[in-house]
């Protein structure tokens, strides 16, 4: 059992001062101790070696830097640079690292990848996904170029700077006495219930967004909303903001576009969900923050 949500253990110094120095960055990227994490179609290259997946790095001095955009992720505690590169190939590149393969990050994290490595890949995946979809300046339409170690794009035509976007999502542990509200989306796998969630909108505080989403999706009015925990969710670049809220009303009015079902689960039912014995619902995966919100709630009732 993981004791924290996935992707929350980023172990590198992000090196903001280094990012500003293009010359220093270029020199550091080709050092023999530099580690490049290759991605193909946003899937990281991992090796399994019979155990949990681990990043299959390429050393900086053996990587073809000219062919691809490289993002500088930071410096590890031993002083070695860590970078990520998106390999731009039609067919899956083979033979980079013996017995390694490209694997969905979610799958790698679920298979027990080290929390620090999974967090590094999460940052890399979000940054690379942003570069892949922001090749042109949104101000003037000219092709933009990667800058600042990959944490910025610059438009050479009009000079606009573009920064990677993070999309905040509120995810809510809604309780009423010893019950909590869980729902399932219309396209979700069978028996999959989770905490209600939704994207924040411009101009909202976190409590505003939680109150709006709970009302829109389930017709439930929330009282106090307080922050519990957060999680970067790199599919492609959300930030899950886990909050708890006590509901002021109980009646559920579903928005069928958002939810196929929502219901109040008692504490005993949630215990059964986690034990795998609930007839209707199964527990959110430990990779997801909803799992930890519900675990937190069960603990708080003990
Ligand atoms: Zn421009």
């Amino acid at each position: 059992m993981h004791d924290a949500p996935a992707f929350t253990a980023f172990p590198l110094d992000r090196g903001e001062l280094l990012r500003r120095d293009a010359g220093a960055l270029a020199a550091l990227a080709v050092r023999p101790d530099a580690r490049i994490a290759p991605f193909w179609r946003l899937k990281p290259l991992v090796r399994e070696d019979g155990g949990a997946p681990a990043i299959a790095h390429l050393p900086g001095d053996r990587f073809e830097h000219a062919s691809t955009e490289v993002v500088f992720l930071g410096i590890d505690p031993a002083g070695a640079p860590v970078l990520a590169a998106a390999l731009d190939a039609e067919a899956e590149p083979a033979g980079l690292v013996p017995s390694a393969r490209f694997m969905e990050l979610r799958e790698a994290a679920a298979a027990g990848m080290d929390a620090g490595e999974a967090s590094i890949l999460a940052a890399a995946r979000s940054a690379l996904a942003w570069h892949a979809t922001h090749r042109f300046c949104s101000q003037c339409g000219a092709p933009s170029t990667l800058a600042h170690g990959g944490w910025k794009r610059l438009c050479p035509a009009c000079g606009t700077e573009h920064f990677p976007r993070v999309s905040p999502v509120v995810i809510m542990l809604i309780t009423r006495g010893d019950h909590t509200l869980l729902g399932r989306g219309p396209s979700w796998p069978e028996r999959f219930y989770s905490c209600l969630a939704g994207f924040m909108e411009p101009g909202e505080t976190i409590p505003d967004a939680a109150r709006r989403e709970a009302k829109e999706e389930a017709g439930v009015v929330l009282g106090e909303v307080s922050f519990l925990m957060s999680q970067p969710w790199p599919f492609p670049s959300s930030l899950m903001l886990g909050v708890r809220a006590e509901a002021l009303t109980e009646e559920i009015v579903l928005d069928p576009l958002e939810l196929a079902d929502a219901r109040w689960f008692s504490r005993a039912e949630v215990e059964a969900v986690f034990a795998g014995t609930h007839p209707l619902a199964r527990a959110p995966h430990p990779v997801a923050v909803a799992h930890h919100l519900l675990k937190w709630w069960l603990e708080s009732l003990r």
Side-chain angles (χ1 to χ4, degrees), residues 77-299:
V82 181
L83 304 99
L87 305 181
D88 185 21
E90 266 309 304
E92 178 167 339
L96 289 169
V97 174
S99 81
R101 68 178 176 110
F102 292 94
M103 181 191 273
E104 294 290 356
L105 176 54
R106 208 182 311 220
E107 190 191 333
M113 172 174 261
D114 169 77
E117 289 212 339
S119 303
I120 289 171
L121 294 181
R125 190 186 192 283
S126 284
L128 294 174
W130 177 70
H131 287 292
T133 52
H134 292 76
R135 304 233 175 262
F136 297 90
C137 175
S138 54
Q139 192 74 26
C140 76
S144 59
T145 56
L146 178 150
H148 216 67
W151 298 96
K152 193 191 272 192
R153 292 186 76 88
L154 289 178
C155 175
C158 75
T160 303
E161 296 181 317
H162 301 279
F163 295 91
R165 174 178 170 164
V166 173
S167 302
V169 173
V170 283
I171 180 160
M172 300 164 281
L173 173 66
I174 298 172
T175 56
R176 185 158 170 83
D178 76 336
H179 283 67
T180 188
L181 183 64
L182 301 178
R184 55 188 310 278
S187 61
W188 291 12
E190 194 128 341
R191 300 183 70 230
F192 194 99
Y193 279 77
S194 188
C195 300
L196 305 195
F199 283 102
M200 289 185 65
E201 293 184 349
E204 284 184 321
T205 64
I206 294 172
D208 287 345
R211 290 200 179 89
R212 176 182 52 75
E213 285 289 343
K215 189 78 175 61
E216 283 175 5
E217 292 194 352
V220 170
V221 177
L222 301 185
E224 276 299 296
V225 175
S226 55
F227 176 78
L228 274 185
M229 62 183 82
S230 63
Q231 178 195 35
W233 188 248
F235 308 102
S237 56
S238 294
L239 174 63
M240 308 304 290
L241 300 168
V243 301
R244 74 161 307 184
E246 185 70 12
L248 302 178
T249 63
E250 199 165 309
E251 190 196 354
I252 294 170
V253 183
L254 286 184
D255 172 0
L257 285 183
E258 296 275 358
L259 293 176
D261 187 29
R263 59 181 65 218
W264 294 100
F265 287 74
S266 70
R267 173 196 172 170
E269 281 185 288
V270 175
E271 300 269 14
V273 165
F274 276 104
T277 56
H278 195 280
L280 186 71
R282 56 168 212 169
H285 194 279
V287 164
V289 72
H291 179 103
H292 299 272
L293 291 171
L294 291 169
K295 283 275 181 182
W296 180 93
W297 180 61
L298 291 177
E299 291 291 324

